[in-house]
Amino acid sequence: MKLILKSAILCLCLDLPSVAQAGAWPQVSGNTQVIISYEPGHADRAFDLSGDKNIKMNTWDQTNLSLFVDQGESERFTLTAKVNLQNYNAVFSDFSGLGSVEVGGRWTAHKGRDVVLAFGGSMEGLGQRFRCPNAARREC
């Protein structure tokens, strides 16, 4: 039991810095940050158990275009939004259009020279992940 507890604490501690770096610093009031990313993907081979690309598979293609906006509303509050446009093609499923949409915000409780304590939350939804042509028969 002690080993499980220690492992859980270690995992939590290793994860915390990445959460803080992901967006704890608030935007200056009136400033906006916009990040656009494009992520293409293609595969026609898969990895086997030894880690080699030896398994031939049907072609899989994916393209993701994302827009992230971070807007400083006040010295302590930042609004965030993210929109994904996706194009996904595989043997049993395909989708093209609006993917996930995320809207949220961060409230800064403390801002020091090197340290920020912020609380944030967001809601995700509205878009679709992918469409399965045989969903009625559950053959995805």
Side-chain angles (χ1 to χ4, degrees):
M1 182 65 175
K2 286 184 179 183
L3 180 61
I4 293 172
L5 182 59
K6 287 180 182 179
S7 298
I9 291 171
L10 177 62
C11 289
L12 179 65
C13 289
L14 290 174
D15 189 49
L16 285 177
S18 65
V19 173
Q21 293 172 357
W25 272 255
Q27 281 295 333
V28 174
S29 181
N31 283 8
T32 303
Q33 173 179 243
V34 177
I35 300 171
I36 299 172
S37 65
Y38 173 73
E39 304 165 44
H42 172 82
D44 61 2
R45 295 199 169 272
F47 292 97
D48 62 16
L49 293 177
S50 66
D52 296 323
K53 283 195 215 177
N54 290 329
I55 301 172
K56 180 77 173 137
M57 62 179 225
N58 293 320
T59 301
W60 166 83
D61 287 298
Q62 178 177 341
T63 305
N64 190 26
L65 179 64
S66 298
L67 172 69
F68 175 79
V69 179
D70 207 32
Q71 168 70 38
E73 292 297 314
S74 70
E75 293 304 314
R76 293 193 176 263
F77 188 67
T78 300
L79 289 175
T80 61
K82 184 176 180 182
V83 177
N84 291 311
L85 296 175
Q86 298 175 327
N87 186 12
Y88 177 87
N89 295 303
V91 175
F92 295 112
S93 62
D94 69 333
F95 173 76
S96 185
L98 182 64
S100 66
V101 175
E102 184 178 335
V103 177
R106 277 188 318 277
W107 178 74
T108 304
H110 171 75
K111 181 179 176 186
R113 195 183 77 149
D114 297 322
V115 177
V116 171
L117 176 61
F119 299 94
S122 63
M123 293 178 13
E124 183 178 7
L126 302 178
Q128 299 178 5
R129 295 287 185 204
F130 66 88
R131 183 181 75 240
C132 176
N134 297 318
R137 296 188 315 210
R138 299 186 186 273
E139 292 182 9
C140 282

